Amino acid sequence: MIIKKSNRLVLGNWKMHGSILENTILLSKLRNVDHSLHCDFGILAPFPYLSQVLTILHGTKICWGAQNISMYNFGAYTGEVSAAMLKEFGCSLVLVGHSERRILYKETNLDIAGKASAALSLDITPVVCFGETLDEYNSKKTFSVIESQVSSILELGGKSVSRMIFSYEPVWAIGSGSAASPEYAQDIHAFIRGMLHQVGADSIRILYGGSVKASNAASFFVMPDIDGALVGNASLVTDDFLGITKL
Ligand code: PGA
């Protein structure tokens, strides 16, 4: 479980990776270092492994969640997974609006707001992702893209937004091996923080994601508006992931 809102938060997004055997090794190592973690810490696993994650991490301070959620509570929605189902597997978090969902599965701002609401309705914290593509970055549209993505979530109201976590992930940095510069990320985070201020949700955590590794994470963590990291590739290698949590 997440302990204090003010602590740094590091989340591992496994994406569509893992197997029962690999997960057992990784999760058991995480479980063993639970007591020496320097930050709030969690993983976001594929749906079929949530039961395994619950079994191994139950009773630790490590939190976990899924990478997607239905905007509906129940019904004839083949292939979807509801908030209540995630809750049964101990999920306290869920990723919403990751760029891979926005781009590959055409999720809209409206879908993403619906999913965030569904999560909140069962007290699951949505980790809502925002970020510009390379084309948008090159054509200097970053701020307008972020503004429209964030605005659609802010329409849910300050009270709801205060219960969320945001993550800024420039699409061009994800999986590329080269992260945005910490100064660039800080500028965007400050911009998002300004928007959050307008709805009275000043204190929520804003993570940075996009090629974060043990060797560059500290340079993000010193930035005033960067409250932690959303980590993809490096979260699959235990020592790399733990390296980030020890900073
Ligand atoms: P990456 O992925 O760390 O592999 O760049 C981050 C993410 O997509 O959440």
Side-chain angles (χ1 to χ4, degrees):
M1 288 297 295
I2 294 174
I3 320 139
K4 265 200 255 152
K5 213 166 181 177
S6 52
N7 287 351
R8 181 186 303 149
L9 175 65
V10 175
L11 294 177
N13 172 14
W14 289 4
K15 309 195 180 187
M16 200 173 71
H17 294 290
S19 67
I20 291 175
L21 182 62
E22 286 167 345
N23 305 344
T24 304
I25 297 167
L26 200 153
L27 291 167
S28 306
K29 281 196 196 163
L30 298 184
R31 204 195 144 83
N32 285 339
V33 296
D34 178 42
H35 57 280
S36 60
L37 289 170
H38 292 203
C39 60
D40 290 343
F41 178 69
I43 56 126
L44 301 152
F47 293 133
Y49 300 135
L50 290 173
S51 161
Q52 183 188 18
V53 174
L54 168 68
T55 304
I56 300 180
L57 295 186
H58 182 74
T60 69
K61 289 184 291 182
I62 304 169
C63 54
W64 65 91
Q67 300 164 15
N68 191 16
I69 185 172
S70 173
M71 69 181 90
Y72 304 109
N73 291 336
F74 61 89
Y77 300 106
T78 301
E80 292 288 283
V81 174
S82 72
M85 294 170 187
L86 296 184
K87 197 87 189 169
E88 286 203 285
F89 291 92
C91 293
S92 58
L93 299 164
V94 66
L95 270 189
V96 172
H98 188 280
S99 60
E100 285 148 21
R101 303 287 325 165
R102 290 179 188 264
I103 296 167
L104 300 173
Y105 300 98
K106 312 282 178 253
E107 286 187 7
T108 64
N109 284 334
L110 206 63
D111 297 334
I112 290 157
K115 288 173 182 228
S117 289
L120 286 178
S121 73
L122 281 184
D123 256 334
I124 297 174
T125 303
V127 181
V128 189
C129 304
F130 310 98
E132 80 282 12
T133 63
L134 183 60
D135 275 357
E136 290 161 347
Y137 172 79
N138 285 336
S139 48
K140 307 211 178 320
K141 290 192 189 135
T142 299
F143 285 95
S144 63
V145 169
I146 299 298
E147 184 169 25
S148 93
Q149 292 177 347
V150 173
S151 298
S152 72
I153 287 292
L154 298 191
E155 278 174 29
L156 296 174
K159 232 174 145 186
S160 293
V161 176
S162 302
R163 297 164 59 211
M164 299 181 187
I165 293 167
F166 279 9
S167 186
Y168 168 59
E169 299 202 297
V171 180
W172 44 270
I174 292 176
S176 69
S178 54
S181 76
E183 295 74 20
Y184 176 83
Q186 165 58 29
D187 279 353
I188 313 294
H189 281 230
F191 177 70
I192 296 172
R193 190 79 72 196
M195 293 184 74
L196 286 167
H197 180 66
Q198 289 165 20
V199 297
D202 305 71
S203 63
I204 74 165
R205 291 194 268 204
I206 311 176
L207 313 181
Y208 167 78
S211 297
V212 174
K213 351 173 207 215
S215 58
N216 65 14
S219 62
F220 290 98
F221 296 158
V222 294
M223 293 293 160
D225 290 301
I226 300 183
D227 306 310
L230 180 57
V231 185
N233 279 328
S235 73
L236 299 169
V237 182
T238 324
D239 290 343
D240 291 356
F241 194 33
L242 289 175
I244 298 171
T245 71
K246 285 182 188 140
L247 294 167

